[in-house]
Amino acid sequence: MEYHTINDYLTSIFNKVNAIEENSLRTSRFHDVSLKEMHTIDIIGSRQDCTPSDIARELMITLGTVTSSLNRLEKKGYITRQRSTKDRRVIHLYLTRPGRLLFRLHARFHKEMVKRFTDGLGDDELKVLETGLLNLHHFLEELK
């Protein structure tokens, strides 16, 4: 496979995953959640004692933008905020029951996507794939 083919696949996959996730949210009972908000929910659900700074760092957005998004998600009933008992300046974020349900549904989609992507690959092929994805991850992290 050459550079242009790989680039075309990566670009197409990225765009299709975003479109599928947006459409899935719009046509579900969670139609009030944007894709950016879904990514915020995903980060909160994936971490213990998640903070707004964790989200800002992960999504590469400002703390002010995160605060606005968290205000909307809290108003919609998907998250709660709690002050740390150790440091009152720190706010921890948690998913509510509807937030956890949405997180699990989103995780299921990603699990199925990875399963389909790796179906039929042997151990050696999986290692090569993992190495390539790790290289891509490191490259993107360097650009942050």
Side-chain angles (χ1 to χ4, degrees), residues 51-69:
T51 67
S53 295
D54 293 332
I55 294 168
R57 193 170 29 262
E58 185 73 23
L59 295 179
M60 295 187 297
I61 57 178
T62 67
L63 208 45
T65 302
V66 170
T67 300
S68 296
S69 181

Side-chain angles (χ1 to χ4, degrees), residues 75-89:
K75 189 174 186 179
K76 294 174 187 179
Y78 293 105
I79 67 158
T80 60
R81 294 172 166 137
Q82 284 185 353
R83 285 210 180 273
S84 170
T85 54
K86 296 175 183 162
D87 184 345
R88 302 278 303 149
R89 297 170 295 176

